[in-house]
Amino acid sequence: MKYIFGPVPSRRLGWSLGLDILPYKTCSYDCIYCELGPTTRLTSAPVGLIEPGAVLAELESFMVSHPGQVDFLTVSGSGEPTLHPELGALIRALKRRYALPVALITNGSLLFRPEVLERVRAADLVLPSLDAVDPETLAAVNRPHPDLDLDSLLEGLLALGRLPGPRLWLEILFLQGLNDHPDQIARFRQVIEKINPERIQINTVVRPPVEAQAMPLAASRLAQIKELLGPRAEIIARPDRRSERTIQLEDEIITLVSRRPSTVEDIAQLTGCTPEEALSLLQRLMAAGKIIPAPFDREVYYRPRTRDT
Ligand code: SF4
């Protein structure tokens, strides 16, 4: 599958099937905490390299072969989905075809543009991010495209909050020493009151980030912040519960398939796992958007996901 991933169990959305509608790491931000690596195409302009028809065709084939396995269709993936000019048409097509709610995960940076707000209107649930309430922190944490700034981000989030239709769950990712100062928390609270989201979802870093200075907050500090942000706040950060061995094997597999495309059997042999274990690790890596299958001559090979795939 090139454009869909999962379904993955999500505490927020149940079994969520992800739709990836942009080339890898095409984003308006280059966040220091991104788990997908550095942004390879930093842009604030519409890009539409992936045809919605191709995404819908792949989705249809999945839905036919996996009936009843999905609770939410979630447009997200490895870039900023609101950059896609046909996002709105895609969401409307999803809603017409499937009796499933559609969620949109966005960094929120482009919502100040009326045409972008129009694109998100058809979603049932929009989950934008807000990691900074001052320009310096936005620049340090999210490293936005030069066209974007804090004023435009807040303008967009306020407009989303006023939009009739989609429910709004605002996510804030806290980083040690960067956006967790008591003054910043107080300012977050003021801004959130104006945006008026249904839920405030508190997160921190749980996977290796792009930059080492993106340090997670302790669970006790997250709990304090939750109290400070009021009754609509909830902690969604979950520790990475993969064992050391799983982390090491996943790293080994990525290295192996980066050298040459490999089958499950190749990977089992080279890593010393059973074929079942290798397949389960490959499925996790596919769900995380790190590798893709590459069928060839009646075999399925796996290779890294790149910006073009
Ligand atoms: S907005 Fe999301 S995809 Fe883009 S750089 Fe930040 S974390 Fe990564």
Side-chain angles (χ1 to χ4, degrees):
M1 295 285 176
K2 269 174 90 170
Y3 309 118
I4 68 175
F5 53 96
V8 289
S10 155
R11 198 158 55 124
R12 300 189 280 181
L13 306 174
W15 284 96
S16 160
L17 187 70
L19 307 181
D20 197 353
I21 61 168
L22 285 182
Y24 185 69
K25 276 317 301 270
T26 299
C27 195
S28 51
Y29 281 177
D30 184 18
C31 302
I32 61 169
Y33 60 77
C34 189
E35 16 179 274
L36 300 169
T39 293
T40 44
R41 184 172 181 183
L42 182 68
T43 178
S44 73
V47 286
L49 302 176
I50 293 175
E51 282 293 320
V55 180
L56 289 168
E58 195 174 283
L59 176 61
E60 180 60 16
S61 121
F62 178 90
M63 297 301 255
V64 167
S65 54
H66 299 77
Q69 292 192 11
V70 177
D71 298 320
F72 247 101
L73 295 170
T74 304
V75 184
S76 59
S78 51
E80 174 44 42
T82 61
L83 282 164
H84 200 303
E86 292 178 76
L87 170 67
L90 176 73
I91 294 174
R92 288 191 294 276
L94 292 174
K95 291 183 63 71
R96 270 197 310 273
R97 288 182 183 203
Y98 306 104
L100 287 171
V102 176
L104 170 71
I105 297 181
T106 168
N107 64 25
S109 64
L110 304 169
L111 295 168
F112 70 98
R113 296 182 179 153
E115 69 277 15
V116 173
L117 205 58
E118 196 52 42
R119 282 174 207 155
V120 313
R121 181 185 284 274
D124 295 283
L125 173 64
V126 182
L127 301 104
S129 300
L130 175 69
D131 305 322
V133 281
D134 60 84
E136 296 75 23
T137 306
L138 185 75
V141 170
N142 302 114
R143 302 189 294 197
H145 185 275
D147 287 353
L148 308 170
D149 59 24
L150 186 72
D151 288 344
S152 57
L153 170 63
L154 296 181
E155 184 186 328
L157 290 173
L158 289 167
L160 180 66
R162 290 191 295 267
L163 196 68
R167 296 160 69 192
L168 198 176
W169 297 357
L170 184 72
E171 178 174 340
I172 307 174
L173 189 137
F174 285 102
L175 298 165
Q176 214 181 97
L178 286 169
N179 60 355
D180 64 332
H181 188 276
D183 293 346
Q184 289 168 305
I185 306 295
R187 174 83 179 121
F188 268 117
R189 189 167 175 145
Q190 288 171 353
V191 169
I192 288 166
E193 271 169 25
K194 290 186 190 152
I195 298 170
N196 195 25
E198 181 184 319
R199 294 189 190 179
I200 304 146
Q201 305 204 301
I202 298 171
N203 207 348
T204 192
V205 181
V206 293
R207 298 263 167 83
V210 174
E211 306 290 352
Q213 80 261 33
M215 300 281 289
L217 256 60
S220 55
R221 181 66 182 135
L222 290 176
Q224 284 172 350
I225 292 175
K226 172 183 170 327
E227 291 309 310
L228 292 167
L229 292 183
R232 281 180 283 173
E234 59 186 345
I235 297 170
I236 60 163
R238 281 181 162 189
D240 188 349
R241 295 199 189 282
R242 294 176 304 165
S243 67
E244 279 302 316
R245 179 168 181 271
T246 301
I247 293 170
Q248 195 183 335
L249 282 170
E250 288 185 3
D251 288 346
E252 260 180 57
I253 291 173
I254 290 172
T255 307
L256 284 172
V257 301
S258 302
R259 286 198 193 121
R260 60 169 199 168
S262 308
T263 62
V264 173
E265 290 71 27
D266 295 334
I267 289 164
Q269 201 175 14
L270 291 165
T271 57
C273 328
T274 63
E276 293 74 25
E277 197 180 3
L279 184 60
S280 146
L281 290 162
L282 287 164
Q283 283 168 341
R284 287 170 71 109
L285 290 167
M286 280 191 289
K290 294 185 177 168
I291 61 168
I292 56 167
F296 178 72
D297 195 18
R298 298 190 200 171
E299 286 277 10
V300 178
Y301 292 81
Y302 295 87
R303 62 184 175 85
R305 188 163 199 191
T306 66
R307 57 187 296 187
D308 302 319
T309 55

